[in-house]
Amino acid sequence: MKFIDEYRDPARARALLDRIRQVARRDWTIMEICGGQTHSIMRNGIDQLLPPNVRLVHGPGCPVCVTPLETIERALAIAAMPGTILASFGDMLRVPGNSKDLFMARSEGADVRVVFSPLEALQIARDNLEKEVVFLAVGFETTAPANAMAVRQAAREGLTNFSELVSQVMVPPAMRAILSSPGNRVQGFLAAGHVCAIMGYEEYEPVAEQFGVPIVPAGFEPVDLLDAILKTVELLEAGRSGVVNAYGRVVSREGNPQARRVMQEVFEVADRPWRGIGVIPASGLVLRREYERFDAEKRFDVGHIAPRESPLCRSGEVLQGHLKPSDCPAFARECTPQTPLGATMVSSEGACAAYYRYHRKS
């Protein structure tokens, strides 16, 4: 299949691995920022094939994993209210709150529905005008344009029973927070290709310049990832920073201008809490004042809910690259996909779930 088979070619992968071994003379720590990349790395054994002096750590690029616990609890509170329908992507239903998740809420009678697009939630609102329909709008810049479009369309139609519980976050501020951390050991980044397809890579250039690190937008297939790792190692060995695009068939410097425009029309930048990490300044998106009537947090007055994390869960350290999932004392013991303590164990893009599924011990 064009654009798939050639990026899974074992011969090309072996050649790239050989080149990485030749180029890498010093010890380097590289963070892949995307949970989808993490799972591809684990599934294809890339982490085990790299030379020991090239170390991969896993960043906060799983949108489900960084959605704060208070958002889950607010969603649960809204779902329990009479006359409401909560629509969500399927990954969010297993994310643990303090005492239950949205699957459990549905089993108790809440009307919680899985959708594949916010526009599906909008249609549910059209079909159920007598009920309040809330879409759990989470994610990075990849989901923000569609979530913004749903709000804009609801406004155009005068649809008053639709709202969004927004927990949108952005990648560059998270990179800055990681690089500014006293315990940081990340020396280069693989940027998420799908985020860069929307936003382009120009917004990473100031980050690379400020912190003197290489940032390489990467795809998700084995050859994509190995090529991006090679480019990152080459830059590190040469003592160079900057952005080098390794996903040119999808990513451009300017990204998708139309998608960026609709995001900017509906959302504005604000501080945002990240699960396990805390508040990162100017890292989130919230609805602009002209659209705040679609803000479910305000409509249902749930902004005061502020629960506490499990003291056993160390997912915040995992998301910052300070800890491998298997180094957490609760990993595969108190915390499993069946009894998760944090979202990184249940999300299809979570690092802990990847380690559990692919039997990684280190």
Side-chain angles (χ1 to χ4, degrees):
M1 183 183 295
K2 189 172 176 61
F3 296 139
I4 294 293
D5 290 347
E6 60 265 48
Y7 295 97
R8 297 176 179 174
D9 181 4
R12 294 181 68 185
R14 283 193 292 269
L16 287 165
L17 279 164
D18 288 343
R19 182 62 182 153
I20 292 169
R21 295 186 187 103
Q22 292 168 8
V23 171
R25 300 298 182 191
R26 287 173 282 175
D27 293 339
W28 302 114
T29 298
I30 300 168
M31 174 177 281
E32 83 279 356
I33 205 73
C34 170
Q37 291 171 340
T38 299
H39 275 254
S40 183
I41 287 165
M42 297 289 117
R43 183 171 60 250
N44 292 290
I46 291 172
D47 58 318
Q48 297 179 325
L49 296 170
L50 290 171
N53 58 325
V54 178
R55 178 181 173 89
L56 297 179
V57 294
H58 320 300
C62 161
V64 174
C65 303
V66 300
T67 299
L69 182 58
E70 52 261 42
T71 298
I72 304 304
E73 288 295 318
R74 289 164 188 171
L76 287 163
I78 291 170
M81 295 179 184
T84 62
I85 299 172
L86 185 82
S88 171
F89 296 132
D91 254 10
M92 295 302 300
L93 271 64
R94 288 277 339 273
V95 179
N98 271 156
S99 60
K100 60 184 174 183
D101 56 31
L102 287 166
F103 263 130
M104 292 176 66
R106 187 163 70 172
S107 72
E108 294 170 357
D111 194 346
V112 178
R113 305 188 189 184
V114 174
V115 295
F116 294 94
S117 162
L119 300 180
E120 286 185 56
L122 200 62
Q123 187 59 49
I124 292 171
R126 295 188 191 105
D127 295 339
N128 296 271
L129 294 174
E130 76 287 359
K131 293 189 175 183
E132 289 284 343
V133 177
V134 179
F135 177 66
L136 184 49
V138 306
F140 286 88
E141 296 95 327
T142 43
T143 61
N147 293 344
M149 285 177 61
V151 169
R152 188 176 68 175
Q153 188 61 30
R156 288 178 175 178
E157 294 181 21
L159 204 59
T160 60
N161 68 322
F162 177 80
S163 60
E164 291 188 347
L165 184 59
V166 177
S167 186
Q168 295 279 171
V169 291
M170 300 183 293
V171 173
M175 286 182 168
R176 285 191 170 93
I178 289 165
L179 292 167
S180 301
S181 169
N184 173 58
R185 53 182 176 169
V186 176
Q187 297 159 295
F189 286 99
L190 307 185
H194 48 6
V195 171
C196 294
I198 300 294
M199 303 301 294
Y201 60 80
E202 61 183 336
E203 64 177 359
Y204 296 98
E205 292 169 346
V207 180
E209 181 179 357
Q210 178 184 355
F211 293 96
V213 297
I215 300 174
V216 179
F220 302 87
E221 299 297 336
V223 170
D224 284 320
L225 289 162
L226 288 167
D227 181 46
I229 292 168
L230 173 60
K231 285 179 167 59
T232 307
V233 171
E234 287 174 337
L235 289 166
L236 288 167
E237 289 285 345
R240 292 170 51 207
S241 60
V243 180
V244 174
N245 184 13
Y247 202 30
R249 69 184 188 277
V250 174
V251 171
S252 64
R253 185 173 184 271
E254 66 277 5
N256 185 324
Q258 293 85 358
R260 294 175 70 172
R261 275 196 293 272
V262 71
M263 285 172 57
Q264 291 163 4
E265 176 190 338
V266 174
F267 293 120
E268 63 184 4
V269 175
D271 298 347
R272 174 66 69 180
W274 294 51
R275 188 166 190 173
I277 298 174
V279 175
I280 300 178
S283 66
L285 297 171
V286 297
L287 291 168
R288 291 186 179 274
R289 179 170 295 181
E290 53 266 42
Y291 290 102
E292 67 179 5
R293 64 190 183 277
F294 297 101
D295 187 339
E297 185 177 313
K298 294 178 179 177
R299 182 178 294 192
F300 295 94
D301 191 26
V302 292
H304 62 282
I305 297 174
R308 294 182 179 180
E309 292 279 2
S310 165
L312 296 177
C313 181
R314 298 179 66 181
S315 61
E317 295 170 77
V318 172
L319 293 168
Q320 296 175 80
H322 296 165
L323 188 76
K324 291 280 189 177
S326 54
D327 293 332
C328 173
F331 177 79
R333 296 178 180 88
E334 294 91 347
C335 185
T336 70
Q338 291 72 41
T339 58
L341 296 177
T344 48
M345 184 56 90
V346 296
S347 169
S348 61
E349 294 187 358
C352 297
Y355 270 62
Y356 191 94
R357 180 174 181 180
Y358 298 111
H359 308 290
R360 292 296 194 274
K361 295 183 179 179
S362 62

